[in-house]
Each structure stands twice: as structure tokens, then as C-alpha cells.
Amino acid sequence: MGNKEQSMSIVLENVIVSDANSAKKVNLRIENGLISALDENPLPISPGDTVVAGEGKLALPGFVNAHTHLPMSLFRGLADDIPLDTWLREHIWPAEKRLTAADVYWGSLLSLAEMIKSGTTQVADMYFHTDSVARAVSEAHMRATISYGIVANKLDKHGKDELAMARETIERWHGAANGRIRAALSPHAIYTCGRDVWAAAIDLAHEKNVPLHTHLCETRDEVAWSLTNLGQTPVLALNEIGAFSIPTIAAHCVHVSEEEMAILAQRSVTAVHCPKSNAKLGNGHAPVVSLLRAGVNVALGTDGAASNNGQDMIEEMRMASLLSKGALEDPTALPAREVAMMATHNGAEALGAGARRISTGEDADIVLVDLSGVDTVPAYEPFSTLVYAAHGCDVTDVIVAGEFLLRDRKLFTIDEEQVKYEVNRRFGKAFAN
Ligand SMILES: [Zn+2]
């Protein structure tokens, strides 16, 4: 769906922006995909400008969901409240084997629609049928780093085929959609890829100059497996193989020691905290406060919707903060502004794209959150209201690279009814239809 407003400049009037110290009302001009002006005084309006009244709305850099598997929205609620191993072996993996390229396309669009409607502008994805994922991202006009998830014990025929798929994904999609799509290389995890496979993947990442995106220290079983089979923890093993010579996005980092945190910080690894998925699968809670204190860049992710069961970054921020406070018995742990930085700035830093803050010259990836609803007034402090009170449905407008993807809660680039119809037609049970 095109829109004649898309190529014109946008003026956001009287939106609330907040930095580390204070909140204020400003006016923003967006043109050529960038924030071109920010002023507390009214901006001149030209004929053809799209003017948005922003009273009562907080303007934020778009949320960056730094770890997910977009098509897994198809398995939302498929199998809950069961042990992780049973969940994977008896439900998720068999269901994934049956997925077609078309299923993956519709599942990706379903997640992207949910993401846009809750303020996410950029995502790091790992899956298969990556052409379908990329096509959905491209059509949705989202910003994304996509990757093919490599699972191979040896560099045999299967291992080489997996690496070839990963190479193809990079060659086909890195820099596509006016640069909004980038690619990464994703050996799935230390326990699902053999040493030779890791070494070949690292070589390929160097050759293509793309980051690594993997799962790291998600479960106690993973650490135990690594100690038994490799004689060292996953972080030490990957460091020795040379993985961290490449910018690395490491999902989870739940079971890491102080020594390992120091390595992650020193090697510029981004830890992606996925608190809901970790809690729901009974895997524990990542030592987020310690990771941040150690100097690690910590971003935020939902993981796939099968273990979440959504893709809503406002809920993820709230979960991150509350679980840290509860686990540490400390109400000052992970305050609202810090967790909002993780969900925006730190994710954009990790992926090397998108807006890191609301200021001139930044990419115009902006979301407006209505703080005037019955769930949010009186909004004493914008970030406290956002993290502890607001909901995804309070996001009214979403702009990526200067284009509206959501305006007044209406999706511009995705036909929501068609997506729901296709997903229900393929996967829906009687209750959902
Ligand atoms: Zn994952």
C-alpha cells in the first residue's frame, strides 16, 4: 500500500521528549528519512507538510527488538507450561519442519504488524526461509537485521549446505530495501554447531563484514554441556574460537560469571536480555544489572512469540525492570530510563542502524506514545509512565526512515485483516476463526 504522504516532510508538533535530566515539549521536522529540525519554538509549516498534533504524546526513538524469530508467532500458545526439552523436541521442532516458505512469510507479517502497533521500528531476526522473512520486512518497510540460523554438528555435506544458505541470505539481502535490511551470520548456539562450523561461520562473517547473532548461555544445561564436551564455559569457548573478533549479538546471557561478563564487555559483545522468554521457559533471569555495571552493551529482545507470547517491547521493558527488582530485592534496580535506553539506544548501537536518540541528524525512526489515556494519567514522569503503566496499544504513530508505518493506530504497510485471515486459514483452530 502506498501513501501520498510518504515522500513529504512531516512535522510533529508539541511532542514530549525526555533526556537524562528533563522532559520538554518540542517540535520536530522529518525529511529525507532524517530528523532535520528540533525546536521548542513552532517550526514554519510549508504547503504539503504532514502536521501531527502531538499534545500528550511522548516521542521516542523506535524500539529495537534485538532478538527474535519473526515467524514463531505461528506457534503462539501452541504448547505452554511444559518442560523446555519437551517443548522443543515434541512441539516446536516438528512444527517448524512442516513450515512452508509461504507460512513463514505470513507468520513474519503477523509479528511485524504486532511490532509496529506496539512501537518497534527495528528487529534482529534469526530463522530459515529467510527470503520469506526478508520479503515481509521489505513490504512492511521495517528496519531489520536478518540471518539464517545455522544448525550443524560437522562441516559435512549438511554443514556446508547450511553455510551456503547463510551466505546466500547475506549476498541476497544485505543492504536491500534502501539499506533498511541488513544481514548477520547466525550459528544457532555453541551446542548446536560444531567447532568447524563455528570456524567457517566466523571466516564468512569476516569475509562479508557482517555481525554474528547467536544464542549464548540461555540455560544451565547449555553451560553443563559446554563444560562436559568442550572443557570450558560457552563464553570462554567462543572467545577461544575467535567469535568475538566480530561484533556479536548474543541473546540471553542468563548464566554468565563475572569473569565472562568482563570478556563480553572487553570484546564489545552485545547481550540481548529476553526476560519474558527466559522466565516463561523457566531458564532463570539474566544478571542484567551486573552486565551493565561490567560495561556490557545490553539490549532488549522478546525472543520468538512461542516463548513470550508476544512481540511487545513496552511489556518487555516492564518485565525486565520488575524481574530485576524482584530478583535483587532492590526497587532501585534497572530504573525506567535505563531500561528504555536498553530498548532503544543500546539496540540501535548493537545493530549499527536506526535512531539512537531524538536529535537532529538521527534516522527518523520515531514512535509516539499517548500518555493521556486512563492507564497513564497523571503522567508525572514520562519514562516511568511508559515503562510501568503504558501498553503497546498506547502507541499511536510509528515512523521508520521518515515514513509512516502506523498513523492514529492504523497500519499503513500491512493489511492486518488479510494477515489474520491467512494465519488463521493455515493454523487457526475453531476458537480463533
Ligand atoms: Zn531465540
Side-chain angles (χ1 to χ4, degrees), residues 370 372-377 385 389-391 393-394:
D370 185 6
S372 68
V374 289
D375 55 340
T376 49
V377 293
T385 305
H391 298 90
C393 56
D394 293 319

Side-chain angles (χ1 to χ4, degrees), residues 67-69 72 126 188 213 215 218 251-252 274 277 303-304 307:
H67 176 71
T68 193
H69 313 280
M72 292 190 83
M126 180 201 302
H188 171 271
H213 178 190
H215 297 95
E218 180 178 8
H252 304 304
C274 303
S277 176
D303 210 350
S307 60

Side-chain angles (χ1 to χ4, degrees), residues 277-360:
S277 176
N278 296 151
K280 184 162 183 287
L281 295 175
N283 287 330
H285 183 68
V288 188
V289 173
S290 299
L291 283 161
L292 288 165
R293 200 180 295 138
V296 178
N297 184 48
V298 183
L300 205 60
T302 58
D303 210 350
S307 60
N308 188 296
N309 289 358
Q311 302 282 283
D312 177 347
M313 289 289 284
I314 293 180
E315 187 167 310
E316 207 68 38
M317 286 194 294
R318 178 148 57 238
M319 193 65 75
S321 181
L322 298 187
L323 287 177
S324 283
K325 292 178 198 305
L328 297 171
E329 299 183 34
D330 178 3
T332 70
L334 215 53
R337 276 170 193 274
E338 195 161 20
V339 79
M341 284 289 280
M342 286 165 51
T344 55
H345 177 277
N346 296 5
E349 283 284 336
L351 300 181
R356 292 159 297 171
R357 59 184 71 81
I358 300 291
S359 65
T360 53

Side-chain angles (χ1 to χ4, degrees), residues 68-79:
T68 193
H69 313 280
L70 287 166
M72 292 190 83
S73 54
L74 299 173
F75 308 138
R76 186 192 341 254
L78 170 72

Side-chain angles (χ1 to χ4, degrees), residues 224-278:
W225 179 94
S226 185
L227 287 169
T228 302
N229 291 280
L230 306 174
Q232 51 191 348
T233 64
V235 171
L236 295 178
L238 287 186
N239 194 33
E240 191 181 284
I241 297 171
F244 303 151
S245 60
I246 294 162
T248 299
I249 300 149
H252 304 304
C253 298
V254 176
H255 301 285
V256 286
S257 66
E258 298 277 342
E259 179 198 1
E260 291 170 305
M261 291 182 206
I263 292 170
L264 297 178
Q266 189 204 343
R267 306 308 304 266
S268 302
V269 174
T270 291
V272 183
H273 182 37
C274 303
K276 272 188 78 184
S277 176
N278 296 151

